[in-house]
Amino acid sequence: MVWDDATLGMTFNEVPIPEDMVEDVKEWRQHLIEAVADYDDKLLEKFFDDPDTITEGEIHEAIRKATIDISIIPMMCGSSFKNKGVQTALDAIVRYLPGPMDIEAVKGINPDTGEELLRHCDPKEPFSALAFKIMTDPFVGRLAFFRAYSGRLDAGSYVLNTRTGKNERISRIMQMHANKQNPVDFIEAGDIGAAVGFKDIKTGDTLCNEKNPIVLEAMTFPEPVISVAVEPKTQADVDKMGMAIAKLVEEDPTLRVKTDEETGQTILSGMGELHLEIIIDRMRREFKVEINQGAPQVAYKEAFHNTIEHRETLKKQTGGRGKFADIIFEIGPADEEFLKDKEINKGSNFQFVNGLFGGSIPKEFVPAIQKGFETAMTTGVLAGYPMESMKVRVFDGSFHQVDSDAMSFELCAKQGYREAGRKAKPVLLEPIMKVEVLTPDQYMGDVTGDLNRRRGMLEGMDSKHGVQVIKAKVPLSEMFGYVTQLRSLSSGRATSTMEFSHYSPAPNNIAEEVIAKQKGKVKIGEE
């Protein structure tokens, strides 16, 4: 197949195999037929009798079966740079990959009873679908892409969103073709469509028949590890930036936004340098927002090393009714069992234990104490970074019949967190990334030396088909610009992947530097 460069891969011609390659082609075709025949007994008999009697259709059928049970993985030739091989790749997807009827029934949970349910790919079963992407289209508005696992949905009908417990009207259903939308009257099991006209659907929501509720497997999104400050260039860009960020955050669950209380800056947090670069590029390109951006910053966290006991008293008298609250509590890191048990913690990293007895503090003030600590832990005592986890056990205190109220106890909890937090040996945690580098043998020493210089902990080296695979854990703060450096070390031949692993205490010198920078102080010796 010869692709035409002038049409950017749109057209190609089939030409005879060049004479100097015919023998190679015969040899490798023989290997292909051997591999396929090895999987299918009928083809194996034909292969031993007369390989030439094996038809193209039989080869496709055997490859499809082997692909579906993951006995083989078909490899395709192509080049995304010149759009070459797109047609053959799409043909292979249709020929070999499983259709909705080829896979097992999808599993879900009844939100009312907690029992496991199955939904088969059948239009006659109750409707169930998973919303896997939210997108903003300039002409249609907000689109929710969803995959129908069972049943049928007509345009204009209602579905239940099990996350919110509310019904959503799907006014129109679109069948997507690249950047074109074709309206359809209904969608059935196995189809992918885009819903228009909904109020509150987010990525990962289950949409189903309200009489037969089901919750399909939810998506879990990792915490962001890198942040960048953005600000509009002109007054005209202020509103546009707010709208753009709101739409991007709705589309992308791994993108977070917050406002820094001290500086008033808008902080975008994401999965990596490239992620934030693309988000900022989209703001300029799609939403026409001109912005200034700061240097990427690592998303540090803080943690308590010790558990300590503390008494905090709030007394304020201002002429009329005053404010009084008194609490005695223990504060420290959350229990490991609590953090591991998702049923108990419900995704929270704040463990609150009510150890009050005898009416020392009325029970109506306990939620205010809990709220005070939970709000306070978003700002650490060292450098203002959020706490990774925290356990608070309130076990005694006192109150005033007139001056005590919920607000007093909430403020007392916040004040107590700041005072006690300094004594609980707070430490700075830095994100550690799992890095995997594929490099030719001759660059092995340079690559490992560079990772060591970046405070990396090498975890293993493997050799695959003449390429060395290096696995390491490296602090994110040392990985800025790594891709460029790796290219220059290996003459562009090494590649790397990086994903978040865990948070770990930062070395003292790094922690001091980060804390000093955050507080805007100059370190001793640098004046």
Side-chain angles (χ1 to χ4, degrees):
M1 290 178 174
V2 178
W3 268 265
D4 183 4
D5 283 343
T7 60
L8 290 174
M10 293 281 282
T11 59
F12 63 89
N13 297 308
E14 289 192 16
V15 299
I17 294 165
E19 285 183 19
D20 60 333
M21 295 175 75
V22 170
E23 290 307 314
D24 280 347
V25 169
K26 279 182 182 173
E27 183 191 338
W28 286 103
R29 181 171 178 77
Q30 191 74 359
H31 289 318
L32 169 68
I33 293 170
E34 270 179 48
V36 175
D38 198 35
Y39 175 79
D40 191 303
D41 290 340
K42 287 179 187 174
L43 288 189
L44 198 59
E45 285 177 30
K46 277 191 171 187
F47 180 72
F48 287 127
D49 292 341
D50 184 0
D52 295 333
T53 59
I54 297 175
T55 65
E56 195 175 314
E58 287 173 324
I59 294 173
H60 286 316
E61 190 183 340
I63 292 174
R64 177 178 170 78
K65 284 180 188 171
T67 304
I68 289 172
D69 72 10
I70 320 180
S71 297
I72 68 167
I73 298 169
M75 302 294 289
M76 308 300 300
C77 294
S79 164
S80 58
F81 178 58
K82 293 283 182 74
N83 297 332
K84 292 181 181 180
V86 175
Q87 298 90 334
T88 48
L90 290 172
D91 288 344
I93 287 168
V94 174
R95 275 194 191 123
Y96 307 137
L97 294 188
M101 306 294 286
D102 296 315
I103 56 173
E104 295 175 2
V106 68
K107 291 177 184 175
I109 293 168
N110 185 321
D112 302 323
T113 64
E115 66 174 312
E116 188 174 273
L117 300 172
L118 292 178
R119 287 281 190 272
H120 294 88
C121 185
D122 185 346
K124 292 175 185 170
E125 288 222 354
F127 179 73
S128 66
L130 186 74
F132 61 88
K133 179 180 172 66
I134 305 295
M135 195 177 93
T136 306
D137 186 275
F139 304 107
V140 182
R142 283 158 70 227
L143 291 166
F145 285 75
F146 65 97
R147 154 84 189 269
Y149 284 95
S150 63
R152 168 183 165 132
L153 178 68
D154 293 303
S157 55
Y158 285 84
V159 291
L160 171 69
N161 183 340
T162 50
R163 177 181 59 84
T164 61
K166 294 178 181 175
N167 286 345
E168 289 274 1
R169 183 172 183 268
I170 307 299
S171 59
R172 286 185 293 158
I173 301 172
M174 300 288 187
Q175 194 176 47
M176 305 300 289
H177 287 281
N179 58 354
K180 294 193 185 98
Q181 302 99 11
N182 294 341
V184 291
D185 296 328
F186 65 91
I187 200 167
E188 284 187 334
D191 290 339
I192 288 176
V196 181
F198 57 89
K199 285 184 181 173
D200 181 18
I201 296 177
K202 291 185 177 174
T203 303
D205 285 355
T206 300
L207 310 175
C208 60
N209 183 308
E210 59 179 315
K211 291 178 184 171
N212 298 276
I214 186 172
V215 179
L216 301 175
E217 187 180 3
M219 299 179 188
T220 53
F221 303 107
E223 287 293 309
V225 292
I226 195 165
S227 303
V228 65
V230 292
E231 62 183 24
K233 275 190 178 176
T234 65
Q235 195 61 35
D237 289 314
V238 174
D239 293 338
K240 279 160 68 178
M241 186 179 92
M243 287 168 61
I245 289 174
K247 286 177 180 175
L248 289 166
V249 167
E250 186 184 29
E251 284 182 24
D252 185 351
T254 60
L255 180 69
R256 312 283 168 86
V257 62
K258 67 172 184 177
T259 304
D260 190 308
E261 290 177 10
E262 291 180 11
T263 62
Q265 287 178 313
T266 302
I267 309 291
L268 290 177
S269 303
M271 294 290 103
E273 275 182 287
L274 183 62
H275 183 203
L276 293 178
E277 275 175 31
I278 290 168
I279 290 294
I280 289 164
D281 179 59
R282 284 189 64 194
M283 286 171 71
R284 290 183 177 132
R285 192 164 33 84
E286 291 177 29
F287 299 97
K288 306 290 185 281
V289 182
E290 285 303 317
I291 55 172
N292 295 320
Q293 69 190 80
Q297 301 292 323
V298 173
Y300 292 98
K301 284 190 178 183
E302 296 182 24
F304 292 133
H305 198 270
N306 292 347
T307 298
I308 60 129
E309 193 178 299
H310 181 78
R311 179 172 199 154
E312 188 66 31
T313 307
L314 175 80
K315 280 184 187 175
K316 282 189 181 176
Q317 203 67 44
T318 52
R321 184 178 169 180
K323 287 198 176 298
F324 178 84
D326 174 36
I327 52 174
I328 304 174
F329 60 91
E330 270 184 359
I331 189 168
D335 298 338
E336 280 190 28
E337 292 77 13
F338 171 81
L339 295 171
K340 284 176 185 172
D341 196 331
K342 299 295 178 190
E343 291 296 316
I344 296 174
N345 64 37
K346 293 182 173 59
S348 170
N349 52 1
F350 174 57
Q351 184 181 4
F352 183 78
V353 180
N354 181 0
L356 294 165
F357 59 90
S360 53
I361 296 174
K363 60 183 179 184
E364 61 264 29
F365 296 147
V366 174
I369 297 171
Q370 184 173 348
K371 185 186 172 190
F373 280 114
E374 194 164 7
T375 307
M377 72 179 286
T378 57
T379 309
V381 293
L382 270 180
Y385 292 108
M387 298 299 299
E388 187 188 37
S389 72
M390 185 171 86
K391 177 182 177 180
V392 172
R393 185 176 75 89
V394 179
F395 58 88
D396 204 357
S398 60
F399 72 104
H400 190 279
Q401 291 286 358
V402 178
D403 291 349
S404 290
D405 59 9
M407 179 60 77
S408 301
F409 276 96
E410 188 179 330
L411 289 171
C412 185
K414 288 179 179 176
Q415 196 171 293
Y417 162 81
R418 284 193 293 273
E419 292 300 320
R422 295 189 186 100
K423 303 175 195 168
K425 284 200 176 174
V427 293
L428 190 76
L429 303 178
E430 61 179 352
I432 305 296
M433 309 304 283
K434 199 188 294 178
V435 179
E436 191 172 285
V437 183
L438 276 71
T439 175
D441 290 343
Q442 64 262 43
Y443 305 114
M444 183 86 168
D446 291 340
V447 172
T448 52
D450 184 58
L451 288 172
N452 285 328
R453 189 179 58 77
R454 294 172 187 270
R455 295 194 284 127
M457 293 285 292
L458 294 179
E459 294 197 317
M461 298 178 199
D462 295 318
S463 181
K464 285 184 188 171
H465 310 297
V467 175
Q468 293 294 332
V469 181
I470 303 165
K471 293 180 181 177
K473 297 267 177 72
V474 192
L476 176 65
S477 58
E478 305 287 345
M479 292 301 287
F480 289 123
Y482 181 65
V483 175
T484 310
Q485 176 68 13
L486 182 64
R487 245 185 236 132
S488 62
L489 280 175
S490 64
S491 305
R493 293 176 64 194
T495 58
S496 68
T497 56
M498 181 170 73
E499 63 178 288
F500 173 70
S501 172
H502 64 282
Y503 273 90
S504 176
N508 286 341
N509 60 326
I510 302 290
E512 284 171 18
E513 200 176 298
V514 171
I515 294 164
K517 190 176 177 184
Q518 191 71 0
K519 292 182 177 177
K521 292 177 182 173
V522 178
K523 287 201 327 187
I524 296 166
E526 289 185 354
E527 294 171 8

